[in-house]
Amino acid sequence: MALYGAAAAVLSGLEARRGSLKTLVYGSRFQNVRQLYALVCETQRYSEVLEAVIGSAGLLEAERKLPPPLAKVLVYELLLGRGLRGGRWKPVLARHQARLRAELARLKVRRRVSRNEDLLGPRPGAAPLPRFVRVNTLRSRLEDAVDYLKREGYGYQGRASGLEELRALRGKRFCLDPLLPELLVFPPGTDLHQHPLHRAGHLILQDKVSCLPAMLLAPPPGAHVIDACAAPGNKTSQLAALLGNRGKIFAFDLDAGRLATMATLLTRAGVSCCELANEDFLSVSPSDPRYRQVQYILLDPSCSGSGMASRSLEEPGESGPDPERLRALAGFQRRALAHALSFPALRRLVYSTCSICQEENEDVVRDVLQQQERGAFRLAHALPLWPERGLGTFPGAERCIRASPEATLTGGFFVAVLERGDETSSDPEPQAQAGEPLPNVPPKKKKRRRQKPSTP
Ligand code: SAM
């Protein structure tokens, strides 16, 4: 298939320093530039993993006519991508498929990870980050989950007083996050993917920053909420936990495959108040009577993902994602935010991205607020005690939250809370003190149906 050859040629060009990624991709004359760009980026991202697998499977020794860059592209597609879709090398790779898969599995066992993404590891030189685990209060009380883990031999340190305590976590120990009410923190590298409490939906493996949007939206039980770009649904299940499954979540996503995964995740998490729709959020009508009670919207749109610790930069020497892609993403983010603000009953909206690019964060929020009728919506001061704030690119940007491995021990992230101008409360939550559970989270002992974690 021409795509694989073109991708291999770009990789060779990069290795020989014949030009930048963009120059080589555009110079390739391959028609579908986006497809080629994506394949090269992903192959590069997994380069070290692919070399290890190809090396231990002895692929290049067995197939001497297979050029190494092409081998990388083909093995990426075969093991980590969408599967080989044709071309003369397909039957050749098929002969080695079982061995290559076995080598990938062995590599994961050696590195003690269960997902392909976890093979990527943190950026070189970065300190490893703690693992955050949210207790799903639809399935389990916090105390029950903690007791279960203690019975398994984990040492529990109680609620941490600050980030230093999280930094110092080692071995089989865990604590509660200083700020978030139901968030457990484990030392870097702890892998709970196969843990029975995770498999049964009692624990959700979710980075701390990814728990902020739903927490700051804080819909009360009974509320109607839209989750505009919802899949794979970790934030949706957290919203359902805040609602105690009372009220309604309308969750939209364009990607049917991701929605299918989400449906499984939500069932496992015990979510029963959510309607999933495979729809473009931009075409959801704000005047549809079904949404007339929607007062809360969570908008977590597609973004460059430049804040995710496991993503290496797309090209050595480049300081961020491709500008053209960034422009396209920011265009969509602006349209989605403006559209969300047009829902008539909306009171509060949380906008979030796992991007560290100003173009997708402060710029989007500033532009959309400027387009609003004066004073219609304003930025609420989100979590005043949070240490890293929005870049001061416009007055009020410091009301937004930023996150980074260095300042908050998390992935890079951005959150803005927008409230309708006539709202009486100025903050989505009273000033939370470190060590105090946050208000607006349903109190623990109220009548919410919870199941005890069952002994597996
Ligand atoms: N909120 C999700 C979570 O916490 O699990 C992650 C959302 S992810 C950052 C962005 C999602 O937006 C993707 O699943 C993508 O398919 C979806 N998306 C992109 N454009 C969309 C659109 N126009 N309407 C609805 N969903 C869209």
Side-chain angles (χ1 to χ4, degrees), residues 312 340 403:
S312 56

Side-chain angles (χ1 to χ4, degrees), residues 228-235 253-255 258 280-281 300 302 332:
C229 296
N234 273 343
K235 297 183 190 76
D253 204 284
L254 263 187
D255 187 319
R258 283 166 73 93
D280 180 347
F281 173 62
D300 183 40
S302 295
F332 165 66

Side-chain angles (χ1 to χ4, degrees), residues 12 19 30 38-39 51 99 103 149 197 242 280 289 315 318 408:
S12 308
F30 186 77
L39 179 57
E51 277 167 17
R99 181 78 198 272
E103 290 305 334
L149 290 161
L197 288 188
L242 290 166
D280 180 347
E315 191 172 6
E318 284 218 343
T408 54

